[in-house]
Amino acid sequence: MNKEYYAEYFKLERTHWWFKVREKIIEDVIKAHISIPKDFSILNIGAATGRTSEMLSKYGTVKSLEYDEDCCEFTSQKINIPIIHGSILELPFSDSSFDLVCAFDVIEHVEDDNKGVREME
């Protein structure tokens, strides 16, 4: 993501109708298909400016991962949540570390998308 775009994207993620509807759909799917225990652990890959991590935090403990190092810094400063700099192609976690792994609007941007999906398993 372009460095100058972070502030605009931050606002869009929280106000634009597309993101609001997307968030509602994601939450509806989570509620309909996932039994959520009290200690639910979630990995959010491609956290961008953090809105999906904020939303997911309603359902458990969220670890956020973002490929763009500058975006990690921007988001950490803006909303004060830790975001790990890393790649979907080499996740820095042990297998089966999370109850739910999310990658919203990420896979289509990964050249070796099959590897990214396998890494999430």
Side-chain angles (χ1 to χ4, degrees):
M1 191 182 318
N2 184 323
K3 246 177 154 175
E4 291 76 40
Y5 187 55
Y6 300 148
E8 184 176 348
Y9 194 80
F10 181 88
K11 181 180 176 186
L12 287 172
E13 270 199 314
R14 288 152 180 83
T15 61
H16 193 275
W17 68 266
W18 187 88
F19 286 102
K20 287 182 172 217
V21 170
R22 174 179 164 251
E23 184 173 312
K24 170 98 171 73
I25 292 168
I26 291 167
E27 285 198 85
D28 287 349
V29 169
I30 290 171
K31 290 174 187 175
H33 299 287
I34 300 172
S35 174
I36 302 172
K38 289 183 183 214
D39 58 350
F40 204 61
S41 62
I42 303 166
L43 174 60
N44 185 26
I45 301 169
T49 61
R51 180 62 202 140
T52 52
S53 293
E54 291 173 327
M55 179 270 296
L56 289 167
S57 69
K58 292 188 265 185
Y59 303 101
T61 303
V62 179
K63 290 229 184 220
S64 302
L65 184 104
E66 173 57 43
Y67 181 75
D68 186 318
E69 192 169 10
D70 292 326
C71 190
C72 290
E73 185 178 323
F74 171 88
T75 303
S76 293
Q77 291 173 358
K78 191 77 171 168
I79 60 174
N80 196 29
I81 63 167
I83 297 189
I84 300 162
H85 174 244
S87 171
I88 191 174
L89 298 176
E90 295 180 29
L91 294 175
F93 307 104
S94 302
D95 290 351
S96 303
S97 296
F98 300 94
D99 299 306
L100 175 64
V101 178
C102 303
F104 308 118
D105 301 323
V106 172
I107 302 296
E108 67 271 24
H109 300 285
V110 179
E111 187 170 333
D112 191 348
D113 55 345
N114 286 320
K115 183 178 180 184
V117 170
R118 284 191 310 273
E119 186 69 10
M120 291 170 43
E121 295 177 330

